[in-house]
Amino acid sequence: NSIRYGLRARKPGEIFDFALLVIRVHFARFLGVAAPLIVLFTAVNLGIILYFGLEDEGLDFSVGFGLVLLGILFLQRTLLALPLVLLNGELLFDRHPTFGDILIRSLKMLPRFFFHQVFLRALLTGPLVWTVVGPWRALVTHFFKSEVIALERLKGSQMNRRLQALATGQGERTFVFLIWDGIVFALFLFSGVYSLWFIFSTAGLDGRYWWLDMRLSLFSPALHLLVLVYSVFHTTAKFLYYVDTRSLREGWDVEKILARGVRESEAATS
């Protein structure tokens, strides 16, 4: 199956609807790329929670450990975004890479991606959150950094100029996109927790094991699973917003410009 990516300005609601269509049409591709990583990350988080949990009472609910779990989820969601951005870029051109292809490309880009999207982003939204400029830079000015790093492969001053150009005049639209994303995420989280609670209750598992607790808590492994699953949708919607922004601002021919940028980058590094 394939999708025609019409190059036109879309409202936030249309972008999220389109993201659902993309995932539905290419569900097997998304499942093949995202599922192994989601299972791995969820298993790691479950192991951490079980290791630090009390036999009958679950975790000792400390703020410090909650922040550790939040940091782990932030790291995992960010790392999961890299192969998903690459997958979306391939699907844009109606190419269907294997999990191995995406994994190899992701590993090659991982050190630089990790530095920018994990270390620097955590710095801007953590210790520098009090400056206001830091979070704004991370959430708005550098909103498309994942796409610029993974697809356009720009570096240094070229990358910074590109991010600034994409962000100029887009602050309001990006803010609206983030509001939509927050609303959809909340709805997904509540419906997911209720659905899992219903499944566990039907199976007679509700209340039997503390680590199957369906409360909205960072100490609930099910919550971690839902956050990671939603990140697949979030990354796809964000990628489509990137395509929408380039179409709106540049009126570009997607395949020619992106393909040419990749060829030029590969030629420059070879």
Side-chain angles (χ1 to χ4, degrees), residues 11-52:
K11 296 179 180 179
E14 293 177 311
I15 292 175
F16 283 92
D17 284 342
F18 196 16
L20 280 175
L21 175 63
V22 171
I23 293 174
R24 180 176 63 82
V25 171
H26 298 291
F27 182 77
R29 302 284 175 184
F30 280 96
L31 187 66
V33 170
L37 295 174
I38 291 176
V39 170
L40 173 62
F41 291 154
T42 303
V44 169
N45 295 357
L46 175 60
I48 292 174
I49 293 174
L50 287 175
Y51 181 79
F52 288 97

Side-chain angles (χ1 to χ4, degrees), residues 149-191:
I149 290 176
L151 301 178
E152 300 187 34
R153 303 187 186 183
L154 299 178
K155 299 179 181 180
S157 59
Q158 282 187 323
M159 179 183 69
N160 290 329
R161 287 196 298 269
R162 181 64 177 147
L163 290 170
Q164 187 63 50
L166 287 172
T168 300
Q170 288 289 104
E172 183 177 347
R173 292 188 77 229
T174 298
F175 187 68
V176 171
F177 178 90
L178 289 171
I179 291 177
W180 267 84
D181 188 45
I183 294 173
V184 175
F185 174 62
L187 292 174
F188 174 82
L189 209 57
F190 281 107
S191 62

Side-chain angles (χ1 to χ4, degrees), residues 5-268:
Y5 289 75
L7 301 184
R8 62 178 179 82
R10 290 183 171 88
K11 296 179 180 179
E14 293 177 311
I15 292 175
F16 283 92
D17 284 342
F18 196 16
L20 280 175
L21 175 63
V22 171
I23 293 174
R24 180 176 63 82
V25 171
H26 298 291
F27 182 77
R29 302 284 175 184
F30 280 96
L31 187 66
V33 170
L37 295 174
I38 291 176
V39 170
L40 173 62
F41 291 154
T42 303
V44 169
N45 295 357
L46 175 60
I48 292 174
I49 293 174
L50 287 175
Y51 181 79
F52 288 97
L54 304 176
E55 185 173 354
D56 298 319
E57 302 175 18
L59 284 169
D60 182 9
F61 297 97
S62 66
V63 174
F65 194 73
L67 292 176
V68 170
L69 290 175
L70 185 62
I72 291 173
L73 265 180
F74 166 78
L75 169 64
Q76 292 170 342
R77 287 185 73 253
T78 304
L79 295 179
L80 183 59
L82 177 55
L84 289 171
V85 169
L86 292 173
L87 175 63
N88 275 292
E90 292 294 311
L91 294 177
L92 179 66
F93 304 135
D94 201 24
R95 296 194 291 260
H96 305 125
T98 64
F99 174 74
D101 295 332
I102 295 295
L103 180 61
I104 291 173
R105 292 175 59 190
S106 297
L107 291 175
K108 289 180 179 178
M109 297 181 182
L110 186 58
R112 183 164 176 263
F113 188 85
F114 182 91
F115 175 75
H116 283 280
Q117 289 298 80
V118 177
F119 177 75
L120 288 183
R121 197 168 166 214
L123 181 66
L124 290 173
T125 56
L128 297 180
V129 66
W130 62 275
T131 66
V132 179
V133 176
W136 179 266
R137 189 175 182 84
L139 297 176
V140 178
T141 308
H142 290 178
F143 190 68
F144 296 123
K145 185 179 269 191
S146 294
E147 290 75 16
V148 170
I149 290 176
L151 301 178
E152 300 187 34
R153 303 187 186 183
L154 299 178
K155 299 179 181 180
S157 59
Q158 282 187 323
M159 179 183 69
N160 290 329
R161 287 196 298 269
R162 181 64 177 147
L163 290 170
Q164 187 63 50
L166 287 172
T168 300
Q170 288 289 104
E172 183 177 347
R173 292 188 77 229
T174 298
F175 187 68
V176 171
F177 178 90
L178 289 171
I179 291 177
W180 267 84
D181 188 45
I183 294 173
V184 175
F185 174 62
L187 292 174
F188 174 82
L189 209 57
F190 281 107
S191 62
V193 166
Y194 177 79
S195 298
L196 289 175
W197 170 82
F198 179 78
I199 293 172
F200 293 152
S201 297
T202 303
L205 298 175
D206 184 43
R208 181 175 298 183
Y209 305 106
W210 65 264
W211 42 274
L212 291 180
D213 190 351
M214 287 297 99
R215 286 180 295 177
L216 289 175
S217 167
L218 283 170
F219 304 101
S220 169
L223 180 70
H224 292 224
L225 173 63
L226 292 172
V227 169
L228 292 171
V229 169
Y230 180 78
S231 67
V232 177
F233 177 75
H234 164 81
T235 304
T236 302
K238 182 169 170 285
F239 171 80
L240 294 175
Y241 177 41
Y242 163 77
V243 172
D244 177 80
T245 299
R246 293 200 63 173
S247 174
L248 179 66
R249 300 180 65 85
E250 302 170 3
W252 60 313
D253 181 301
V254 181
E255 185 166 6
K256 290 182 179 179
I257 292 181
L258 265 185
R260 184 182 65 190
V262 170
R263 288 197 301 270
E264 290 173 351
S265 298
E266 290 175 343

